[in-house]
Amino acid sequence: MRAVLWAAVLLGTVGGVSLLPPAHLRFDSVDYKTTAVWIPPSNSSTLLYNVQWKIYGEPEWLNVDHCQGIEKPKCDLSEETSDVTEWYYARVQATTPAAKSPWVTSRRFSPRWDSEISPPLLRLNTTMKGIVARVKPPRAQVRKQHRDLFYKIYLIRENGEEEEFEMNCCFHKLCIKDVKRKARYCFQAQTILPLQARSSARSEVKCITVR
């Protein structure tokens, strides 16, 4: 009887009910803050999850210490994937006190290529000289990994015409002097990674009226 029960646990089956694995495991990464997320199995009630990770090409799976026996269907892997030059896998397993599901494995993940980059934050104000647009860069990890990054500022005039300006990573202020009083000007900002030929989405449109 003990041997039968042990076999059932290995198969994730107790009392004839199979413990299905989690579904759609993937990496969700923005500005190198990386989380493994998944969908609980459809036959779940109260489940706990174990998460492991490994570097592509390495044979051994490693436990994510802070993601053993967790309740929420997500696990922060920012520290484990901090070397952005490597490629990674994650896997997750659902558990109950009596059973464990099969492991489900993610697709291969590259922080350098797969992490989404945010647009910079954009602030506007007017001075006696014109409009000053300031950008706040993405989190420090992005600047650390991409010292060549720069920003684009898009000026959108009332007639819909756009004008484009570039700002390097060390200069975060742009002054627009050719403006008219009582006219409304709108702006967007974008982070550019030139060596990867990648860019962020544009920021939300922000507008200001010259008094």
Side-chain angles (χ1 to χ4, degrees), residues 119-138:
L121 298 177
L122 179 63
R123 292 189 303 165
L124 305 173
N125 68 286
T126 58
T127 68
M128 295 295 293
K129 295 182 179 180
I131 298 173
V132 177
R134 290 182 172 87
V135 295
K136 182 178 180 181

Side-chain angles (χ1 to χ4, degrees), residues 179-194:
V179 295
K180 299 178 181 178
R181 293 190 61 187
K182 297 185 179 181
R184 187 169 184 262
Y185 297 88
C186 295
F187 294 82
Q188 289 180 295
Q190 188 177 35
T191 305
I192 308 296
L193 307 179

Side-chain angles (χ1 to χ4, degrees), residues 90-122:
R91 70 178 186 177
V92 63
Q93 174 190 62
T95 71
T96 68
K100 295 181 179 180
S101 78
W103 290 95
V104 61
T105 302
S106 71
R107 293 183 177 180
R108 191 169 60 174
F109 167 75
S110 165
R112 178 173 290 276
W113 295 103
D114 298 333
S115 188
E116 180 182 338
I117 303 301
S118 297
L121 298 177
L122 179 63

Side-chain angles (χ1 to χ4, degrees), residues 144-161:
K144 178 181 177 181
Q145 299 296 338
H146 301 280
R147 298 185 184 278
D148 61 320
L149 66 78
F150 64 92
Y151 311 101
K152 284 187 178 181
I153 303 291
Y154 299 90
L155 166 60
I156 308 167
R157 300 183 184 275
E158 287 183 312
N159 61 6
E161 291 183 357

